[in-house]
Amino acid sequence: MNLGFSKYQGAGNDFVIIDNRNKNFPSEDYALVNTLCDRHFGIGADGLILIEEHESADFTMVYYNADGKPGSMCGNGSRCAIMFAIRLGMCGNTCTFEAYDGLHTGELIAGSVESRCEIKVSMSDVRNAELLDSDYVLNTGSPHYVRRVENTQTINVVEEGRGIRNSSRFQEQGINVNFIAEEGDHISIRTYERGVEDETLACGTGITASALACAMWGMVAAAEGRCALQALGGPLVVYFNQKGNEFTDIYLQGPACFVYSGEIDTKKLMA
C-alpha cells in the first residue's frame, strides 16, 4: 500500500509519524516498522509513532522503537505527536492524550505547527528512584540509568552505555543510559537508547530522569524545581515538584519541528 507519513524531530530525536485514525496501518508488522525506521533502506528515524482516536482524550499515541518493537513513553516523540495532532485538527493548543504509561497533557507554548514550535508536556510522577552505588535508576515512563561524569564530551557513550544496558540486571528488560555533567547553570547530557541501541541526539524521558537525579544529588542546576539541560540536539527544560525522592507535577519543555511529509510504497519497500 502507499503509506502517507510525516517526519518530525524534537531536539534531533527524529520520528516517522502516521495518522492511523482509520486503523489501516499493520500495527503488528514489526519488520515493517523496523524497515521504515532504517536510515539506509527506509525513511530513517529513532522511532515510529501512530496517532489514533481515543474515547475521551484528544488522541492516542502508539510508539515503536527503531528496532520495530513496541516501545514505552517517549518524551521528545510526544511533543512531536502533539504538534502533528494540532496540525490534523484533533486538538487545539492544549490537549490530553494517552501514551504507554497513561494520560498526559500538552501545551503549545510558542511558534508555528507548520514549521517549528515549543511544546510543554506532562510526564508521569516518579516515586521509586533507586540509588545504585553512586548512580540512579528510575522510571519516567521508560526505564533510565543516570550516571554523573566529569565531562560528557570525552566519554565513550556507546561502549559504556551498551555495557550497562546489557549487564545481567538490565539485559532482559533493557534500560536507557544517561551520562550527565554540571556545567554552570545547566546540565550537559548524552544518552544511549535501548531499541535504537546507539546514542541519540536527545531522549525526552532521559532528560527528565536526569533532571530528577540532579535534584536528588542536590546539584545547583536543578534547584527550585527547574533544570535546564543541553543535549547534543539542543536545549530542554524540566519542571517538577520534589519531596525527598518523590516527584510530581513533572513537565518537559522543548522544541518540536516538522521536517517533511510524503508517501512510501510499503509493498516495494518490503519486497
Side-chain angles (χ1 to χ4, degrees):
M1 66 177 179
N2 286 329
L3 177 68
F5 70 91
S6 291
K7 182 78 175 283
Y8 282 77
Q9 62 92 0
N13 212 187
D14 60 341
F15 308 95
V16 172
I17 305 186
I18 295 168
D19 178 359
N20 196 41
R21 288 177 292 178
N22 56 17
K23 293 295 187 77
N24 283 341
F25 186 83
S27 58
E28 295 185 0
D29 190 342
Y30 303 149
L32 173 61
V33 174
N34 175 242
T35 304
L36 288 169
C37 291
D38 192 289
R39 298 190 185 279
H40 299 287
F41 298 100
I43 299 165
D46 291 326
L48 181 143
I49 297 170
L50 302 179
I51 300 299
E52 300 179 349
E53 298 279 7
H54 189 279
E55 289 184 0
S56 55
D58 291 303
F59 65 92
T60 297
M61 166 185 160
V62 182
Y63 181 71
Y64 297 84
N65 291 316
D67 61 7
K69 298 176 183 177
S72 45
M73 173 57 176
C74 179
N76 290 328
S78 67
R79 295 198 316 279
C80 294
I82 291 165
M83 186 178 182
F84 183 74
I86 294 173
R87 291 188 75 204
L88 288 181
M90 297 180 73
C91 58
N93 289 348
T94 60
C95 68
T96 59
F97 67 96
E98 185 170 34
Y100 171 86
D101 58 340
L103 287 174
H104 295 262
T105 63
E107 180 182 3
L108 174 66
I109 301 297
S112 166
V113 294
E114 299 304 319
S115 56
R116 177 187 176 92
C117 55
E118 188 83 0
I119 288 178
K120 190 174 185 179
V121 62
S122 69
M123 305 294 285
S124 297
D125 293 346
V126 173
R127 293 188 169 88
N128 296 306
E130 175 189 358
L131 186 62
L132 186 62
D133 295 326
S134 57
D135 306 324
Y136 272 107
V137 177
L138 59 162
N139 193 307
T140 52
S142 292
H144 282 275
Y145 190 104
V146 185
R147 171 170 290 177
R148 290 179 73 173
V149 297
E150 290 188 8
N151 188 334
T152 58
Q153 300 308 308
T154 58
I155 191 168
N156 189 325
V157 172
V158 173
E159 182 178 326
E160 295 202 28
R162 187 172 290 161
I164 295 169
R165 181 257 186 269
N166 289 313
S167 62
S168 58
R169 173 171 176 179
F170 301 115
Q171 185 176 30
E172 184 175 353
Q173 180 191 19
I175 198 164
N176 305 284
V177 185
N178 307 274
F179 302 94
I180 63 103
E182 192 167 26
E183 297 184 2
D185 62 350
H186 74 275
I187 302 295
S188 64
I189 178 170
R190 295 175 67 184
T191 301
Y192 179 92
E193 283 199 56
R194 66 171 186 170
V196 180
E197 305 306 336
D198 202 348
E199 182 177 13
T200 56
L201 295 181
C203 172
T205 53
I207 293 282
T208 304
S210 297
L212 304 187
C214 290
M216 288 184 285
W217 277 315
M219 297 168 72
V220 174
E224 299 180 358
R226 180 186 185 277
C227 186
L229 301 99
Q230 180 68 41
L232 293 180
L236 299 102
V237 181
V238 177
Y239 302 91
F240 53 86
N241 285 331
Q242 179 183 10
K243 187 175 181 180
N245 286 1
E246 296 187 359
F247 297 86
T248 58
D249 301 316
I250 305 168
Y251 293 90
L252 171 67
Q253 182 174 323
C257 302
F258 170 71
V259 182
Y260 65 89
S261 59
E263 285 190 352
I264 190 166
D265 187 332
T266 58
K267 185 175 181 180
K268 290 182 180 178
L269 182 69
M270 302 302 290

